[in-house]
Amino acid sequence: MTFFEFSFFNWLYLFISCLILFHWLYIIKLGLEFRKINLDFSNFLNKTGITKQKSFPKVSVIFSARDEELSIRRTLQSLSDQNYKNMEVIMINDRSKDKTALIMEEFSKKYSHFKKIDIKELPKSWLGKTHALYLGAKQAQGEYFLFTDADVWFDPKAIEKALSFLIEKNLDHLTLTPDLKSKSALLSSLKLFFVVVFFLYSRPSKIKDNKSYMGVGAFNLIKKSVYQKIGGHKKLRLEVIDDVGLGRLVFLNRFKSYLASGRDLLNIYWYNSSKEMFKGLEKNVFSIINYSILKFILANFYFFTVFYSPFIFIFFSSSVFLKICFSFNLFLMLAVFFNTAKELRYNPVVSLITPFSFILLHFNFIYSVFKVLILQKIVWRDTSYSLKEIKTYLKDRDYRLE
């Protein structure tokens, strides 16, 4: 074994190690920038008297639910407990087969500002959720719309504080990431990896400068006037990841958006098990890369280079120097996962298994892509959506902006 010998392959491996190094340093840079940006939001939340504004505009909280009987009561109760009173809650029951509709009915009878909408059939060329939110927005009376999910718990001051921040900063769109609760170490590690990729994908610190975009399904707060100008959910009729799609419309129309951590204001048990998470991501992962085979190949190349090659080259390289380089790559990887675990309030030990649980996510990614390609459709909650129609929509969507 030599410390470092001059050869084509060793120089190639060194180049790969440098690419991985820059990758993790870039993610660290994004994390530090986001922490600085988020500090502005955190400091605002800690201020006293933040609700002493001249007016209290009406907020319409809009969400759809399909077979959510296990979580929806918790969500509705937290919305009924909000300190902010000038609001309405529009609940859309999207063809549920369980007790979701009954729970909604219970709250609509108990609270006058809770309104229930029932959907019996899904029209052609619409996804279920976007269609439901579109109908909810049509009936909403508020000056601001808050699009959320049926399994989110809200702190009593969540809407009050978020709206106050949006108004003070003169924003058009505010999206918050929730506190991601987890019920197992494996599930925590999977979410850990997802958050790291989320940072790389969205570049959250760039959003306020309109150089990137994002929308989080748990909390998408937007001015009604802006929502209408950008075309609303009608423009997102076949958008599988509709929350990100809303952020994208705000971005393309040059309105002011902001992403912050809302972990002290809302939380969610985003999937109750790893099996449920894999099933839920089946409809999403291919859509993230716009159903592109080329991007699928590039994504796998990225996964292999960043997450697999350090392990391979540590064991099979004959150069001590390269072993040290790739060991440092792994150290940075674990350092990022460790710090992210602390930010998510997970046991930092979970970070040690994240590089290995990634293998499961990668397999799920490949499986989901091939499943969609073979079936030529997306199947979600007993409803099928044609891949051909969705791809046609994606091809045309940038040219349909108002």
Side-chain angles (χ1 to χ4, degrees):
M1 181 185 298
T2 59
F3 184 78
F4 187 78
E5 57 184 30
F6 184 88
S7 72
F8 170 78
F9 286 106
N10 278 348
W11 282 114
L12 177 62
Y13 299 155
L14 180 61
F15 176 71
I16 292 173
S17 178
C18 290
L19 286 179
I20 299 171
L21 172 66
F22 290 136
H23 168 270
W24 290 116
L25 290 177
Y26 181 62
I27 288 183
I28 292 172
K29 176 177 178 288
L30 291 175
L32 292 174
E33 289 175 346
F34 179 65
R35 181 176 292 179
K36 183 178 179 180
I37 294 297
N38 194 62
L39 188 61
D40 191 24
F41 182 68
S42 298
N43 289 339
F44 180 85
L45 298 186
N46 293 327
K47 286 167 56 177
T48 58
I50 64 171
T51 58
K52 293 180 180 179
Q53 51 200 55
K54 295 181 180 179
S55 63
F56 295 88
K58 189 170 187 176
V59 177
S60 298
V61 182
I62 307 167
F63 72 89
S64 70
R66 186 174 186 186
D67 300 333
E68 298 280 4
E69 65 177 5
L70 297 179
S71 61
I72 193 171
R73 183 178 296 277
R74 176 176 178 261
T75 297
L76 294 178
Q77 189 59 56
S78 70
L79 287 171
S80 69
D81 293 338
Q82 288 297 298
N83 290 354
Y84 197 86
K85 298 306 179 184
N86 192 15
M87 57 179 281
E88 63 179 352
V89 179
I90 299 180
M91 312 168 288
I92 305 101
N93 170 38
D94 185 15
R95 300 163 290 152
S96 295
K97 298 177 182 178
D98 62 2
K99 296 180 181 179
T100 295
L102 294 176
I103 298 172
M104 285 182 172
E105 190 68 30
E106 175 188 331
F107 275 80
S108 65
K109 290 179 178 179
K110 188 175 181 179
Y111 302 101
S112 60
H113 61 297
F114 279 63
K115 303 174 183 178
K116 175 173 171 280
I117 299 174
D118 286 302
I119 294 177
K120 301 297 183 182
E121 295 182 358
L122 177 66
K124 185 177 173 58
S125 299
W126 280 90
L127 295 179
K129 185 179 178 183
T130 54
H131 173 249
L133 296 179
Y134 166 73
L135 292 182
K138 282 184 68 175
Q139 296 196 26
Q141 301 298 314
E143 296 176 53
Y144 293 85
F145 292 168
L146 171 58
F147 295 100
T148 185
D149 291 326
D151 53 358
V152 179
W153 176 88
F154 295 85
D155 179 88
K157 293 183 179 180
I159 294 176
E160 174 187 61
K161 290 184 176 183
L163 181 64
S164 297
F165 182 80
L166 181 145
I167 292 173
E168 180 169 300
K169 299 298 181 181
N170 194 28
L171 302 173
D172 300 302
H173 172 240
L174 172 65
T175 189
L176 301 178
T177 59
D179 183 14
L180 295 175
K181 300 292 185 181
S182 195
K183 296 183 177 180
S184 71
L186 176 59
L187 191 57
S188 295
S189 69
L190 294 170
K191 293 177 181 178
L192 201 60
F193 177 81
F194 179 87
V195 169
V196 171
V197 174
F198 169 84
F199 261 84
L200 185 62
Y201 176 81
S202 65
R203 297 175 300 141
S205 60
K206 307 296 182 184
I207 292 174
K208 73 178 185 66
D209 298 321
N210 205 42
K211 295 179 181 179
S212 185
Y213 63 89
M214 182 47 61
V216 180
F219 200 99
N220 258 332
L221 179 62
I222 186 171
K223 290 180 180 178
K224 178 181 181 178
S225 58
V226 171
Y227 177 82
Q228 292 175 334
K229 287 177 182 177
I230 63 178
H233 282 86
K234 189 173 183 180
K235 288 285 180 70
L236 303 172
R237 57 189 179 82
L238 287 172
E239 196 79 33
V240 174
I241 311 179
D242 62 282
D243 48 358
V244 178
L246 184 63
R248 186 173 184 274
L249 282 177
V250 173
F251 165 76
L252 290 174
N253 284 276
R254 311 298 295 179
F255 288 105
K256 293 178 66 175
S257 188
Y258 198 102
L259 170 67
S261 170
R263 66 181 185 179
D264 293 324
L265 298 180
L266 55 153
N267 67 58
I268 182 175
Y269 281 95
W270 189 53
Y271 302 115
N272 294 305
S273 67
S274 52
K275 181 179 179 181
E276 183 181 314
M277 183 175 183
F278 292 141
K279 183 67 177 176
L281 291 177
E282 275 188 17
K283 74 172 178 37
N284 290 342
V285 291
F286 203 9
S287 65
I288 293 174
I289 54 176
N290 291 330
Y291 306 95
S292 166
I293 301 297
L294 176 59
K295 290 181 179 179
F296 172 68
I297 295 171
L298 292 175
N300 280 284
F301 177 76
Y302 161 75
F303 290 144
F304 176 82
T305 301
V306 174
F307 297 101
Y308 293 123
S309 65
F311 291 99
I312 294 173
F313 293 133
I314 281 176
F315 288 104
F316 292 99
S317 174
S318 61
S319 168
V320 176
F321 178 74
L322 287 175
K323 287 180 181 291
I324 294 173
C325 289
F326 285 109
S327 295
F328 186 66
N329 292 152
L330 291 180
F331 170 78
L332 280 180
M333 178 197 301
L334 290 174
V336 169
F337 288 144
F338 183 86
N339 185 69
T340 307
K342 289 178 63 179
E343 291 292 326
L344 294 177
R345 300 168 180 170
Y346 294 161
N347 187 333
V349 175
V350 169
S351 61
L352 297 177
I353 66 172
T354 301
F356 304 100
S357 61
F358 156 73
I359 297 173
L360 298 176
L361 271 177
H362 189 197
F363 174 80
N364 177 255
F365 172 64
I366 295 173
Y367 169 79
S368 301
V369 169
F370 276 96
K371 182 177 180 179
V372 172
L373 289 175
I374 292 172
L375 296 178
Q376 284 296 297
K377 63 182 179 182
I378 296 170
V379 180
W380 180 240
R381 298 200 174 189
D382 302 323
T383 304
S384 298
Y385 307 100
S386 165
L387 178 60
K388 181 179 180 180
E389 189 173 19
I390 291 176
K391 291 179 76 171
T392 299
Y393 155 80
L394 292 175
K395 183 179 179 181
D396 297 337
R397 65 180 179 181
D398 284 349
Y399 302 99
R400 294 182 292 109
L401 298 172
E402 296 177 348

